[in-house]
Every structure is written in structure tokens, then in C-alpha cells.
Amino acid sequence: MLNTTDIDAAWKLTYLLVYLSPSKNATEFAAWLRGMTAGDLYELMSPYANQFPANMAAFRDRTAKLFELWDEHYFRHLDGAIVERLRDEACSRKQALPSADPTAFIDETANGLFFEPLEGLEQVVLMPQYHFQPFNVISHFGHVTICHYAARVYVDDEDFLSPHEYRMIRSVAEKSRLKILRFLHQGPRSFIEIVRHLELSKGITHDHVTKLRHAGMLTAHFEGETLTAYSLRSSALAQVHRKIMDYIEQG
């Protein structure tokens, strides 16, 4: 079924359904979804979206089947340590939230994301995820933005530096990327402004920006799902320095 499944507007609605569902696992979600009528689903999602599948019942059945197959062939066999670490991550972030500044909390949790205030935006939901690391998956639904963020969770990782910390160090070991960081020190810039500053192709510039972004060296500014600008994330530079010095001073 995955071979004939497109990453489209209908697929995006699955993120919304998972958020709205009372279910706690894939089996419960599929059963809950099959119990919903097409009318139930329209009513449930209408406060968040204005575009729906042409055939809601077919979308419901197909989505439920996808989750059932995914659960049967993959999730049930997943290393339990991954799920446990994701739960620990969610728990620790919930504990930190009440006393945190919202902007700083999102930045730290999602490794350099900033959601611009939008008219009607009331809630940003952060969900830790493992499989798309180091990518973040962002979906905007009217007054709610849902971000499945890279949790920086690694299994069987016993090295002093985590894969993410190695990624941070490697990201700055290139001249063009250092030029980007210096340029962004002046303030937020759009991607096109970075391209013009580097005088490189869009493709090469995108590769450099992506590596810096995945390393958390940049703050990515979003309006809904639209990435509008990048800025320097000074806290990440300080973190790289601390990690390198800690490593050196170990011996």
C-alpha cells in the first residue's frame, strides 16, 4: 500500500487525526478510526482544516489499514528502548515547560525552531520522533501547529559525543558554512539573501544551509508551515565549544 500512497494533503490529515484521536497506540488508533463515520470525521476536523479527501470513507478505511499493516509488520517489532526513550523525552519536556519561556522552550526542544506569531494561532504542539531524525515534520492546521521534532534519541550510543554533537562539529568544518554563520550574525535572512551572499547555486547553498540547520546551528523561522528566514543560533556555537573542551579535558 505504501507504494501507491502519496505524501499529499490527505496524508497530511493523518497527522491531525493522530493528534485528535484519544488512542494511545496504532492498534487503538485504527480501531477508533474505523468506528468513525465520514460525517464524524468532517465534524472533527472542520475546525482545523478546510480541504478534505473527496471520499472521506475511503480515506478513513485506507488510513486505518495502513496503520494496521504498519503496526503488524514494523511497530510491534521495534526496539522497546526507542519507545521508552521517546516517553522519557516527552516527560522531561513536560516537566520543564511550566517554568520555561515559551520561545526558548520551543527553540531548545526542537533544536532551533521559531514559530512566528500568526493571527489565529493559539497552540504549538511538540511531539518527539525518532525515525525522521534530524528532520522536523511541521503541519499547520488553523489555530494549531503540530511539530514532530527530532528528539535526538539514540539507541546503543555509548560514545562521549552523541551523533547529534558530532553533526554539530562537522557542520562548521567548511568555509561556506562559516560564511553563512557570519552573514546571519547581522540578523535573520531569507534563503535567497544567503544565496546572493555566497554567490553559489541554490542547490549548493541549500545543502550547506540544511547541514547547519540539522546540526541546530541555525534558527529556522516559520510562519505556519512556511519557512521564511534563518538566523544565527548563538547558543549552539557555545554548546559546540563546551563539548569540544569537555572532550579534550577528559584525558
Side-chain angles (χ1 to χ4, degrees):
M1 288 186 71
L2 285 176
N3 291 337
T4 59
T5 300
D6 295 325
I7 307 301
D8 54 12
W11 177 260
K12 176 185 168 182
L13 288 177
T14 61
Y15 286 97
L16 178 61
L17 286 173
V18 169
Y19 167 65
L20 295 175
S21 167
S23 311
K24 296 183 178 180
N25 57 52
T27 301
E28 289 183 5
F29 174 77
W32 168 81
L33 190 56
R34 288 195 183 280
M36 301 287 281
T37 67
D40 291 335
L41 291 174
Y42 280 118
E43 184 176 355
L44 179 67
M45 293 189 289
S46 59
Y48 302 88
N50 52 26
Q51 292 185 334
F52 302 99
N55 187 328
M56 183 66 83
F59 164 74
R60 174 202 60 204
D61 294 342
R62 181 179 178 82
T63 301
K65 186 62 175 180
L66 279 171
F67 273 79
E68 289 165 348
L69 291 173
W70 174 75
D71 186 41
E72 177 184 354
H73 294 286
Y74 177 72
F75 188 72
R76 294 181 190 179
H77 311 287
L78 185 67
D79 187 343
I82 295 174
V83 177
E84 190 63 30
R85 292 195 184 187
L86 287 172
R87 287 174 177 159
D88 290 344
E89 163 69 12
C91 182
S92 68
R93 300 317 297 155
K94 286 180 181 178
Q95 291 175 350
L97 180 57
S99 60
D101 171 75
T103 299
F105 179 84
I106 293 174
D107 171 78
E108 179 183 352
T109 303
N111 197 35
L113 291 185
F114 178 81
F115 294 100
E116 301 285 352
L118 293 177
E119 183 178 355
L121 178 61
E122 299 174 0
Q123 188 176 24
V124 174
V125 179
L126 301 175
M127 299 183 184
Q129 56 87 8
Y130 174 84
H131 290 92
F132 292 120
Q133 297 185 103
F135 292 90
N136 298 311
V137 181
I138 300 168
S139 304
H140 181 67
F141 302 98
H143 61 274
V144 175
T145 294
I146 301 174
C147 173
H148 290 76
Y149 69 91
R152 286 158 284 169
V153 165
Y154 307 100
V155 179
D156 299 327
D157 174 40
E158 299 181 356
D159 203 345
F160 173 75
L161 293 174
S162 71
H164 175 69
E165 289 161 346
Y166 278 117
R167 188 180 299 115
M168 293 177 73
I169 294 170
R170 290 195 302 268
S171 73
V172 296
E174 206 283 333
K175 183 177 180 180
S176 292
R177 294 175 210 156
L178 290 174
K179 288 178 67 175
I180 292 172
L181 295 179
R182 184 171 62 181
F183 182 52
L184 295 181
H185 181 61
Q186 303 170 23
R189 296 289 187 269
S190 69
F191 175 72
I192 293 301
E193 288 177 308
I194 297 173
V195 171
R196 291 169 179 166
H197 177 73
L198 288 185
E199 298 181 334
L200 296 174
S201 70
K202 290 182 180 179
I204 293 175
T205 302
H206 182 268
D207 182 66
H208 288 314
V209 168
T210 298
K211 286 184 169 57
L212 288 170
R213 180 182 167 190
H214 288 169
M217 308 306 292
L218 307 180
T219 295
H221 297 251
F222 278 85
E223 293 183 4
E225 299 173 14
T226 304
L227 178 55
T228 59
Y230 298 95
S231 60
L232 178 66
R233 192 165 178 250
S234 300
S235 61
L237 293 173
Q239 183 181 351
V240 168
H241 179 262
R242 286 196 306 271
K243 281 295 179 180
I244 292 175
M245 291 307 301
D246 288 346
Y247 178 78
I248 291 172
E249 292 168 358
Q250 260 192 331

